């Protein structure tokens, strides 16, 4: 099975794709998105997370959020594996545009082309954007 | 000992936590703390420091499994130490906020 296809093998499942595209510490949208992913994971339905645009900055290692008295998004994101949130994707061109590489990121991710992202979106029942 | 709690019994000021307060909270939950409890309480506090939120059941189980192995990293073991709702009770005794998404 392609990794872009969520595991819908169980009955009564509904897959959700979270698209996280907000810059990490301007406003609270990024935090809301991450909290929504963590909350959704409790229901044990298939879910995927796609970081695009400025959202890829959320994945940058070594965030010093305490200096601006904010909750550290890196601390929250680094718990994804403990929630079995393992379908994490990043838009390849967003990453390149910011001169970031996957080893700058705090989670293991799969990078996707535009076509890969279109397939990912098409394969999920619901798409939520933060 | 004066410590402030919310109406569910969670400690309001996380920095006020110490072992005596943990014992006090545990007693109100009818739990007598021993070394096995403390081991899990310490892990929950470490999870909180690393991830800046209290663990729900699934991540708690996985974290305990990762740190202490399969014998302890399972829900039955955690239920035996902290009956009914282990994630909630561990956080409460460990002086952490209520896990946000505990069902």
């Amino acid at each position: 099975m392609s990794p872009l296809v969520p595991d819908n093998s169980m009955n009564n499942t509904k897959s959700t794709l979270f698209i996280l595209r907000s810059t990490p510490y301007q406003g609270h949208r990024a935090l809301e998105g991450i909290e929504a992913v963590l909350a959704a994971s409790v229901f044990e339905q298939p879910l995927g997370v796609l970081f695009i645009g400025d959202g890829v900055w959320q994945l940058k290692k070594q965030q010093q959020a305490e200096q601006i008295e904010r909750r550290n998004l890196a601390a929250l994101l680094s718990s994804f594996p403990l929630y079995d949130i393992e379908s994490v994707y990043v838009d390849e061109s967003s990453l390149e545009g910011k001169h970031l590489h996957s080893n700058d990121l705090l989670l293991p991710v799969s990078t996707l082309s535009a076509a890969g992202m279109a397939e990912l979106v098409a394969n999920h029942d619901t798409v939520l954007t933060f | 000992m004066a410590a402030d709690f919310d109406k569910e019994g969670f400690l309001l000021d996380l920095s006020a936590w110490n072992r005596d307060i943990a014992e006090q909270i545990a007693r109100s939950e009818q739990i007598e703390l021993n070394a096995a409890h403390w081991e899990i309480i310490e892990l929950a506090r470490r999870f909180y420091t690393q991830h800046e939120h209290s663990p729900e059941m699934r991540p708690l189980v996985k974290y305990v499994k990762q740190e202490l192995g399969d014998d302890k990293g399972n829900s039955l073991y955690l239920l035996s130490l902290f009956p009914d709702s282990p994630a909630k009770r561990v956080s409460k005794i460990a002086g952490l906020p209520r896990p946000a998404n505990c069902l």
Side-chain angles (χ1 to χ4, degrees):
Chain A
M1 185 184 279
S2 151
L4 301 182
V5 180
D7 179 14
N8 273 341
S9 52
M10 289 177 298
N11 291 326
N12 300 319
T13 62
K14 205 168 166 66
S15 60
T16 306
L17 177 67
F18 290 84
I19 298 183
L20 305 185
R21 55 179 302 171
S22 303
T23 187
Y25 297 104
Q26 191 174 45
H28 294 272
R29 195 78 181 146
L31 175 62
E32 283 169 12
I34 295 168
E35 287 188 326
V37 174
L38 290 175
S41 77
V42 173
F43 296 98
E44 303 192 10
Q45 300 282 312
L47 66 84
V49 187
L50 169 64
F51 291 86
I52 62 171
D54 284 337
V56 302
W57 291 118
Q58 297 178 33
L59 287 167
K60 180 77 177 65
K61 284 179 187 164
Q62 292 170 324
Q63 300 176 25
Q64 294 169 310
E66 62 288 348
Q67 297 196 355
I68 51 167
E69 296 181 4
R70 292 288 296 273
R71 274 180 84 183
N72 193 328
L73 300 186
L76 289 170
L77 288 168
S78 66
S79 71
F80 274 17
L82 292 167
Y83 286 80
D84 296 324
I85 302 168
E86 269 143 13
S87 303
V88 181
Y89 307 93
V90 173
D91 168 28
E92 201 170 37
S93 67
S94 301
L95 214 52
E96 282 168 10
K98 291 162 179 45
H99 302 286
L100 289 171
H101 300 96
S102 23
N103 56 6
D104 296 315
L105 308 181
L106 59 96
L107 284 177
V109 300
S110 312
T111 52
L112 291 182
S113 64
M117 288 192 290
E119 193 188 333
L120 186 70
V121 169
N123 287 334
H124 284 79
D125 297 314
T126 308
V127 177
L128 297 173
T129 303
F130 287 85
Chain B
M1 192 169 348
D4 291 329
F5 298 94
D6 71 8
K7 58 182 193 303
E8 280 190 89
F10 285 84
L11 193 62
L12 287 174
D13 176 7
L14 307 193
S15 66
W17 186 87
N18 57 42
R19 289 177 75 99
D20 290 337
I21 289 179
E23 302 274 4
Q24 181 192 327
I25 302 169
R27 269 194 303 277
S28 71
E29 299 275 312
Q30 274 88 48
I31 294 172
E32 189 74 44
L33 297 182
N34 60 35
H37 294 98
W38 281 112
E39 189 174 48
I40 305 299
I41 292 168
E42 297 296 341
L43 276 187
R45 289 182 61 84
R46 208 192 306 164
F47 180 105
Y48 187 83
T49 308
Q50 283 171 359
H51 300 301
E52 298 193 13
H53 67 287
S54 301
E56 277 90 31
M57 192 57 181
R58 189 153 50 131
L60 180 65
V61 168
K62 208 164 169 181
Y63 194 61
V64 172
K65 184 189 275 220
Q66 189 178 293
E67 302 294 316
L68 304 175
D70 291 350
D71 289 353
K72 295 176 176 175
N74 62 73
S75 12
L76 279 181
Y77 178 76
L78 296 180
L79 272 164
S80 73
L81 293 174
F82 303 94
D84 301 329
S85 183
K88 213 162 92 176
R89 284 194 146 149
V90 172
S91 282
K92 193 185 268 189
I93 297 169
L96 304 174
R98 187 189 200 283
N101 305 305
C102 244
L103 292 179

